[in-house]
């Protein structure tokens, strides 16, 4: 007979989660038990986990990500904090649109149906989300204010439209931000298709205005890998911008950025990226055909192909020449695909003696190679570039700078170029502005109209939201489906009242998640996106959790957005969260990422039906460190279920009549030790060890019950402590047992227990006793024993007396609480 069958057959005290879990979920929700309030008498604490895409069903990985922060929120709520732990849905975006296209239904139908199902599944897990604060980004009540914010950014010059080379996904037929292109082979982050480069007019956000600020992590607690990824992505480099005049009338100089201006005397040719705007201007007629063919071929290459160190260098001479501003030499201007348009200025001064790629190129095309930096020894390599850059290197063959230490020459040469108006000190960044527009239907409409007379104009606030029409053919064609919707296109110029055409691009879905955390502070505001006083009360987020895969997308964008809104006077903070933690990823049993297409998804519903929600929660937290994750395996969940059943039995035990003061004291000590350990583990998000501590306390209770101590005050106290510590991890079970033990509802509003230091203090100490540094005996002494008492006991030891042989010790050395060492006189 199964546990569940036994309970239904007349054993109501058996552990049967199905008999009580739904009851408590219904009551918690009816009582709004987890709703954050405006109560200022308790410290406000904002805990947030990233909201999900409504893509269908929650899988066990979602439970893993959400249960951890739920445990933290629950502990702090019991600890007296006014906790806000909201949830919502990232409703717009390509996943929903593509799924709807595949199924032949409207994205809204698909999205809202999934939201209903996922909301049901989140409730099933017993998470303490404040559902009254829910946001759904595809709801006009939400995106109305996103459009309002866009207009403020546009008016401030932080949102703009311009033509530029962008990454294009040919499968989804949509522009991607640079951060959304992944891997060495440059694939779409959504579908894995290799991306292409296209020149398109696009909407952008000036995230680069904040590059330096985004490199400052001094006020936040972020995992080191996230800080490293964002730092590398921003890619700040200090150096010099140098202008190389060209031998062409009316043509601007070629500007390069270099971190090593000290090597300029070795710049013997120049290389432009094939996409550089000066290529068509500088190319001579006799070189035009070769250059055009090379440019066309280069644009078909992936960035990783062009940067590959193993790939033979190719290039074409443009027929043009430039002048080295320091040597005054006439040097050739080439194009080559190993120079990329998105790095630096898209042009380089080639120094083949000190750069491996330039050396290979110069060797292949028989271009001059001149060493201008050497170690103090003067020894230079043969047949390769000198790139080691030793600390003692000096300049050679560098005019008046010859003999100068290279590190000093960097500044000195830049100063000389600046004085000659041919260069300047400069900082450059790898980061580029955020491409924020998309040519797809299922997204937030951009609130701009175009008038033939007055150009681009923002939609007036009173006309917001610009509603996304529902009667649209949203199949992807490479242009927005809204371009063929006559009613949507027809607009009025807010300046002259004349006809205007509405913008048809929609916003990148990452715009939605760049401010959703602010909307949670004022979820029902209808006069503003959020109220400043409520944001000031709740923000910044004290703990934010989510996947590390968002390091250079969402986790960078929401930091930018917060700063931009700060500069607009809408918020008073610079960082959205004080602390970020990333959960590990739960993989399928095949060690691949869970996905329906691979057939490796583990649905939580069937596990809940079999074991109960609390067993699933506890098992997920017990399988290993939360920040590491691992492949899913059901092995072990039976054991966790049995543990909860044992805790159930221990909590309901009673009637024992035995009394044993020492055993009772030991049980109380075990319970109070668990308080400190579990509190520390949950605070550090070491949930696996927290569960382990609770298992140990359960075992202590079971042993005490078997010894007949279940009727003692010590047992009652330890059982209550177990339930209080268990409540964040197994909330339904703790609530049911709390009630059955006669306590007032609810355990989740009962104060978090505090350990009694006096109980944890050791009553006795075991001290090693050494003679001349070698262990000879052990003493058990009272914890408060004086040094004199300890010395007297040590010298009275028969083992010590054997080595003293009646002599007085030379000295007795004590390390308090650690050891005693008796030093004997010399023979």
């Amino acid at each position: 007979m199964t546990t569940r069958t036994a309970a239904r057959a007349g054993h109501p005290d058996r552990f049967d989660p199905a008999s009580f879990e739904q009851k408590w979920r219904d009551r918690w929700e009816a009582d709004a038990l987890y709703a954050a309030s405006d109560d200022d008498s308790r410290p406000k604490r904002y805990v947030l986990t990233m909201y999900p895409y409504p893509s269908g069903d929650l899988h066990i990985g979602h439970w893993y990500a959400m249960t951890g922060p739920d445990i933290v929120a629950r502990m702090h709520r019991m600890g007296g904090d006014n906790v806000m732990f909201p949830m919502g849905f990232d409703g717009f975006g390509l996943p929903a649109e593509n799924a709807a296209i595949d199924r032949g239904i409207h994205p809204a139908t698909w999205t809202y149906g999934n939201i209903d199902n996922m909301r049901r599944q989140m409730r099933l897990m017993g998470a303490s989300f404040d559902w009254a604060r829910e946001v759904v980004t595809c709801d006009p009540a939400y995106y109305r204010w996103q459009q309002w914010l866009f207009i403020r950014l546009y008016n401030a010059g932080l949102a703009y439209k311009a033509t530029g080379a962008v990454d294009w996904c040919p499968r989804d037929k949509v522009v991607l931000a640079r951060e959304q292109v992944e891997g060495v082979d440059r694939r779409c982050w959504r579908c894995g298709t290799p991306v292409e480069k296209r020149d398109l007019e696009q909407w952008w956000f000036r995230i680069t205005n904040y590059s330096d600020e985004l490199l400052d992590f001094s006020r936040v607690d972020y995992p080191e890998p996230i800080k490293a990824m964002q730092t590398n992505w921003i890619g700040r480099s200090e150096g010099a911008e140098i202008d190389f005049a060209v031998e062409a009338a009316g043509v601007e100089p070629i500007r390069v950025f270099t971190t090593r201006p000290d090597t300029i005397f070795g710049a013997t040719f120049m290389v432009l990226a094939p996409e550089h705007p000066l290529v068509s201007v500088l190319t001579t007629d006799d070189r035009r055909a070769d250059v055009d063919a090379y440019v066309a071929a280069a644009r078909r290459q992936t960035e990783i192909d062009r940067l590959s160190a193993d790939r033979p260098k190719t290039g074409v001479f443009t027929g043009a020449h430039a002048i080295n501003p320091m040597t005054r030499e006439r040097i050739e201007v080439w194009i080559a695909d190993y120079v990329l348009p998105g790095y630096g200025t898209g042009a380089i001064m080639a120094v083949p003696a000190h750069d491996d790629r330039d050396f290979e190129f110069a060797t292949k095309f028989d271009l001059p190679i001149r060493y201008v930096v050497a170690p103090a020894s003067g020894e230079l390599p043969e047949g390769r570039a000198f790139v080691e850059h030793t600390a003692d290197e000096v300049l050679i063959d560098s005019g008046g700078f010859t003999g100068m230490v290279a590190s000093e020459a960097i500044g000195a040469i830049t100063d000389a170029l600046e004085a000659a108006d041919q260069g300047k000190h400069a900082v450059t960044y790898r980061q580029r502005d955020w491409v924020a527009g998309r040519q797809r239907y299922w997204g937030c409409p951009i609130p701009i109209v175009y008038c033939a007379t007055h150009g681009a104009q923002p939609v007036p606030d009173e006309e917001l939201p610009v509603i996304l029409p529902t009667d649209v053919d949203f199949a992807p064609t490479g242009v927005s489906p809204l371009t063929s919707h006559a009613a949507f296109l027809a607009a009025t110029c807010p300046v002259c009242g004349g006809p205007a055409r509405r913008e048809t691009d929609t916003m990148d879905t990452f715009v939605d998640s760049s401010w959703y955390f602010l909307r949670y502070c004022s979820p029902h505001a209808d006069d503003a996106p959020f109220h400043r006083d409520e944001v000031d009360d709740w923000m910044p987020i004290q703990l934010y959790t989510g996947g590390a895969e968002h390091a250079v997308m969402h986790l960078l964008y929401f930091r930018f957005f917060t700063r931009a809104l700060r500069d607009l006077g809408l918020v008073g903070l610079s960082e959205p969260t004080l602390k970020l933690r990333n959960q590990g990823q739960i993989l399928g049993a095949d060690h691949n990422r869970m996905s329906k297409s691979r057939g490796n998804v583990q649905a939580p519903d069937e596990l809940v039906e079999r074991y109960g929600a609390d067993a699933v929660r506890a098992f997920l937290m017990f399988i290993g460190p939360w920040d590491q994750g691992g492949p899913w395996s059901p092995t072990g969940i039976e054991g966790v279920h049995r543990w909860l059943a044992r805790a159930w039995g221990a909590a309901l035990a009673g009637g024992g009549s035995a009394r044993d003061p020492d055993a009772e004291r030991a049980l109380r000590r075990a319970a109070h030790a668990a308080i400190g350990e579990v509190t520390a583990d949950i605070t550090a998000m070491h949930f696996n060890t927290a569960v382990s501590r609770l298992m140990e306390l359960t075992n202590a209770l079971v042993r005490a019950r078997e010894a007949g101590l279940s009727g003692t005050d010590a047992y009652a106290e330890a059982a209550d402590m177990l339930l209080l510590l268990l409540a964040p991890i197994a909330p339904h079970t703790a609530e049911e047992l709390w009630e059955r033990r006669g306590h007032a509802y609810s355990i989740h509003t009962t104060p978090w227990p505090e350990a009694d230091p006096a109980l944890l203090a050791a009553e006795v100490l075991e001290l090693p006793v050494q003679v001349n540094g070698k262990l000879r005996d052990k003493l058990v002494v009272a914890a408060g024993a004086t040094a004199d008492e300890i010395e007297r006991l040590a010298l009275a030891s028969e083992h010590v007396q054997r080595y003293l042989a009646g002599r007085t010790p030379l000295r007795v050395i004590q390390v308090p609480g650690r050891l005693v060492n008796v030093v004997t006189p010399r023979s």
Side-chain angles (χ1 to χ4, degrees):
M1 183 179 292
T2 66
T3 298
R4 180 168 302 153
T5 304
R8 290 172 180 167
H11 299 282
D13 289 339
R14 299 293 295 272
F15 178 57
D16 178 23
S19 69
F20 60 82
E21 286 191 342
Q22 186 60 53
K23 171 188 72 174
W24 289 117
R25 288 194 291 269
D26 291 343
R27 182 166 181 186
W28 296 335
E29 186 158 352
D31 295 344
L33 189 69
Y34 304 124
S37 72
D38 296 329
D39 179 10
D40 290 327
S41 66
R42 295 179 295 145
K44 285 186 166 70
R45 181 175 293 272
Y46 189 175
V47 178
L48 184 62
T49 190
M50 295 178 188
Y51 62 4
Y53 295 106
S55 55
D57 292 322
L58 291 181
H59 57 66
I60 209 69
H62 291 103
W63 274 51
Y64 185 76
M66 295 174 183
T67 300
D70 180 54
I71 290 170
V72 175
R74 286 178 173 280
M75 183 186 75
H76 284 294
R77 196 178 287 112
M78 294 173 69
D81 289 350
N82 183 4
V83 175
M84 180 166 73
F85 185 46
M87 180 48 66
F89 297 92
D90 197 5
F92 275 140
L94 283 175
E97 185 169 343
N98 287 343
I101 291 169
D102 292 343
R103 290 161 177 79
I105 60 175
H106 196 279
T109 304
W110 169 256
T111 298
Y112 281 102
N114 288 340
I115 286 174
D116 288 342
N117 184 54
M118 294 174 75
R119 193 187 289 121
R120 174 192 64 80
Q121 290 182 305
M122 287 187 207
R123 286 187 165 106
L124 185 66
M125 69 185 289
S128 61
F129 295 130
D130 182 354
W131 287 107
R133 294 178 180 268
E134 179 188 80
V135 300
V136 179
T137 61
C138 56
D139 186 333
Y142 181 85
Y143 69 72
R144 167 194 180 185
W145 295 111
Q146 184 159 304
Q147 293 170 347
W148 188 92
L149 291 171
F150 182 94
I151 290 169
R152 269 69 192 166
L153 294 168
Y154 176 78
N155 290 337
L158 293 173
Y160 66 98
K161 198 170 191 179
T163 298
V166 296
D167 292 305
W168 175 265
C169 175
R171 181 184 183 277
D172 288 333
K173 295 181 172 58
V174 68
V175 168
L176 303 173
R178 290 180 73 239
E179 296 87 344
Q180 294 164 345
V181 179
E182 294 184 337
V184 296
D185 51 355
R186 291 178 43 79
R187 293 180 177 271
C188 172
W189 77 292
R190 284 291 192 196
C191 65
T193 304
V195 303
E196 303 170 355
K197 282 286 187 184
R198 290 192 180 184
D199 290 323
L200 295 173
E201 188 177 33
Q202 286 296 319
W203 283 99
W204 310 74
F205 285 134
R206 292 192 196 276
I207 192 172
T208 53
N209 281 18
Y210 296 87
S211 294
D212 277 326
E213 270 201 75
L214 293 170
L215 289 169
D216 179 10
F217 298 97
S218 62
R219 290 172 290 183
V220 296
D221 178 5
Y222 274 31
E224 288 301 323
I226 299 294
K227 292 193 287 186
M229 284 188 278
Q230 292 194 2
T231 298
N232 293 337
W233 182 260
I234 293 168
R236 186 181 193 275
S237 297
E238 295 184 4
E241 285 183 350
I242 304 173
D243 289 337
F244 286 71
V246 296
E247 293 183 340
V251 179
E252 63 189 59
I254 299 172
R255 176 163 293 178
V256 303
F257 173 83
T258 178
T259 59
R260 294 300 303 265
D262 54 314
T263 64
I264 190 171
F265 285 87
T268 57
F269 61 98
M270 302 198 74
V271 183
L272 306 181
E275 299 86 351
H276 196 289
L278 287 181
V279 170
S280 60
V281 177
L282 292 175
T283 300
T284 58
D285 291 342
D286 61 313
R287 306 296 304 162
R288 180 80 55 190
D290 287 346
V291 168
D292 288 349
Y294 189 86
V295 169
R299 292 184 70 89
R300 291 193 294 270
Q301 300 294 320
T302 67
E303 189 171 301
I304 193 62
D305 285 341
R306 290 172 63 169
L307 290 175
S308 173
D310 300 328
R311 185 168 171 264
K313 295 294 178 286
T314 62
V316 175
F317 177 45
T318 64
H321 291 79
I323 304 300
N324 183 317
M326 295 304 289
T327 66
R328 310 307 304 169
E329 292 175 310
R330 186 172 181 258
I331 58 178
E332 295 180 357
V333 179
W334 288 66
I335 64 169
D337 59 11
Y338 75 89
V339 178
L340 301 176
Y343 292 84
T345 64
I348 66 166
M349 63 175 203
V351 185
H354 302 289
D355 182 275
D356 289 330
R357 296 177 308 163
D358 295 348
F359 184 90
E360 183 182 346
F361 192 90
T363 300
K364 179 172 182 177
F365 293 103
D366 197 25
L367 295 166
I369 299 173
R370 180 187 306 135
Y371 292 93
V372 293
V373 177
S377 65
E379 297 180 9
L380 287 165
E382 293 184 8
R384 66 177 181 86
F386 172 59
V387 296
E388 290 81 358
H389 297 308
T390 59
D392 63 350
E393 63 189 9
V394 296
L395 268 59
I396 60 174
D397 295 332
S398 297
F401 299 93
T402 297
M404 184 177 289
V405 175
S407 59
E408 298 175 2
I410 290 174
I413 289 177
T414 304
D415 289 342
L417 288 165
E418 197 158 11
D421 200 26
Q422 293 178 310
K424 62 180 181 179
H425 294 270
V427 175
T428 191
Y429 303 86
R430 179 180 182 270
Q431 184 180 38
R432 295 292 177 263
D433 280 344
W434 172 10
V435 184
R438 296 294 180 268
Q439 297 68 49
R440 294 294 291 262
Y441 164 68
W442 192 237
C444 174
I446 293 176
I448 298 291
V449 299
Y450 299 93
C451 172
T453 303
H454 297 101
Q457 294 293 327
V459 173
D461 289 351
E462 59 270 19
E463 296 180 17
L464 300 177
V466 176
I467 295 290
L468 191 67
T470 57
D471 55 337
V472 169
D473 179 5
F474 48 84
T477 62
V479 296
S480 171
L482 298 173
T483 59
S484 59
H485 195 286
F488 179 81
L489 290 172
T492 301
C493 174
V495 178
C496 65
R501 178 181 59 83
R502 199 176 299 281
E503 172 63 66
T504 57
D505 280 5
T506 54
M507 294 186 210
D508 179 9
T509 187
F510 281 106
V511 182
D512 309 355
S513 57
S514 290
W515 73 282
Y516 80 114
F517 51 92
L518 295 167
R519 183 65 177 176
Y520 282 138
C521 298
S522 311
H524 308 297
D526 60 3
D527 58 345
F530 43 80
H531 292 153
R532 173 69 181 269
D533 60 335
E534 292 176 312
V535 169
D536 290 345
D537 276 350
W538 287 108
M539 295 288 292
I541 303 162
Q542 278 90 343
L543 172 66
Y544 192 41
T545 68
E549 67 270 18
H550 296 293
V552 296
M553 291 186 286
H554 165 62
L555 290 173
L556 197 59
Y557 296 153
F558 89 141
R559 296 181 67 217
F560 152 65
F561 232 76
T562 301
R563 286 164 167 79
L565 298 183
R566 175 204 63 196
D567 290 348
L568 294 176
L570 297 175
V571 300
L573 69 159
S574 299
E575 289 287 357
T577 184
L578 296 177
K579 182 177 180 180
L580 171 71
R581 289 295 180 265
N582 303 122
Q583 78 273 358
Q585 190 173 84
I586 295 294
L587 305 175
D590 57 1
H591 292 246
N592 290 311
R593 186 171 183 171
M594 283 190 180
S595 70
K596 291 181 179 178
S597 61
R598 291 193 179 101
N600 64 354
V601 171
Q602 172 63 61
D605 295 41
E606 60 190 61
L607 295 171
V608 173
E609 170 64 22
R610 184 174 181 185
Y611 299 107
D614 284 349
V616 178
R617 289 169 59 101
F619 175 62
L620 284 170
M621 295 301 97
F622 187 55
I623 60 176
W626 186 75
D627 61 350
Q628 295 180 22
W632 165 257
S633 171
T635 303
I637 194 169
E638 288 274 5
V640 170
H641 183 270
R642 287 194 299 271
W643 161 57
L644 289 175
R646 292 173 71 238
W648 177 276
L652 296 181
S657 58
R659 294 293 182 268
D660 183 337
D662 290 340
E664 291 173 44
R665 187 164 49 252
L667 180 59
R668 293 191 69 213
R669 185 181 298 118
H672 283 259
I675 292 171
E677 293 163 348
V678 172
T679 302
D681 285 339
I682 292 177
T683 301
M685 306 189 80
H686 297 161
F687 306 115
N688 58 321
T689 53
V691 173
S692 180
R693 314 279 192 201
L694 292 172
M695 289 178 173
E696 292 171 3
L697 180 55
T698 302
N699 292 339
L701 277 164
V702 170
R703 289 193 298 270
R705 181 187 65 190
E706 292 171 349
L709 299 176
S710 56
T712 64
D713 291 343
Y715 191 96
E717 179 188 9
D720 285 347
M721 294 302 104
L722 172 64
L723 298 186
L724 289 167
L725 297 175
L726 182 65
I729 296 169
H732 310 84
T733 304
E735 187 78 275
E736 179 71 13
L737 289 171
W738 192 250
E739 181 185 65
R740 290 191 180 213
R741 287 181 56 78
H743 296 299
Y745 171 83
S746 160
I747 193 172
H748 301 296
T749 56
T750 301
W752 186 252
E754 295 184 6
D756 183 349
L759 275 173
L760 299 179
E763 296 182 357
V764 295
L765 294 175
E766 185 177 72
L767 297 177
V769 179
Q770 299 175 343
V771 177
N772 297 330
K774 294 183 178 181
L775 180 65
R776 300 303 182 188
D777 200 357
K778 291 182 179 180
L779 287 180
V780 176
V781 299
T786 66
D788 288 343
E789 291 174 313
I790 293 171
E791 179 174 328
R792 178 178 57 78
L793 290 169
L795 294 178
S797 163
E798 61 180 81
H799 299 288
V800 173
Q801 285 296 326
R802 184 183 311 129
Y803 288 94
L804 284 173
R807 296 171 296 171
T808 301
L810 190 62
R811 59 182 178 272
V812 178
I813 302 169
Q814 293 190 42
V815 179
R818 299 287 300 278
L819 62 83
V820 181
N821 184 28
V822 178
V823 182
T824 63
R826 294 178 182 177
S827 299

